[in-house]
Amino acid sequence: MSSTIQIRVDDDLKKKSDRLFKDLGTDTTSAIRIFLTQAVANNGFPFEIKRNPADVSLYAAMSEDEILERLRMSREHSMQGKQREAKEVISDMRSKYGL
């Protein structure tokens, strides 16, 4: 027994993928079947999934010295009463970074 999967894709994407897979000696349906077979064999996506570099955390690119300086400034601001409620900060982070 076999099942049918229907998906909707942009017309331009469909045309480009059809051309690509034809050039590779196959068709889009077979390419999707290959993808699904490899996903099951790999127990996940059969390729690496990465986020856009623009989405990477600001702090990932900071050196240890830069992080320590920000912590120092944070402590100083706290002593001056320049602080916000955690709920407000979390809300801002969710909005800004799509968390």
Side-chain angles (χ1 to χ4, degrees):
M1 184 174 159
S2 64
S3 297
T4 301
I5 298 175
Q6 290 182 306
I7 60 170
R8 293 195 182 279
V9 296
D10 180 75
D11 289 337
D12 189 48
L13 175 61
K14 173 78 166 85
K15 289 175 190 171
K16 288 178 179 177
S17 64
D18 284 344
R19 271 196 311 271
L20 170 66
F21 296 128
K22 183 178 180 184
D23 287 347
L24 294 171
T26 190
D27 57 37
T28 302
T29 300
S30 296
I32 292 169
R33 191 176 297 111
I34 291 167
F35 167 80
L36 295 173
T37 301
Q38 287 299 305
V40 170
N42 285 282
N43 199 27
F45 284 97
F47 45 81
E48 187 176 3
I49 305 290
K50 293 183 178 182
R51 293 181 72 172
N52 182 334
D55 295 336
V56 175
S57 167
L58 168 68
Y59 300 103
M62 293 173 61
S63 70
E64 183 178 350
D65 288 340
E66 290 170 317
I67 292 171
L68 291 173
E69 175 60 18
R70 290 215 179 182
L71 286 171
R72 185 195 65 71
M73 288 173 51
S74 177
R75 285 188 204 99
E76 185 177 308
H77 288 167
S78 179
M79 291 183 335
Q80 296 170 358
K82 296 178 183 176
Q83 53 201 17
R84 296 174 31 202
E85 291 291 323
K87 289 179 190 177
E88 184 182 342
V89 174
I90 290 168
S91 177
D92 287 351
M93 289 176 67
R94 285 188 174 140
S95 296
K96 186 173 182 178
Y97 299 107
L99 302 173

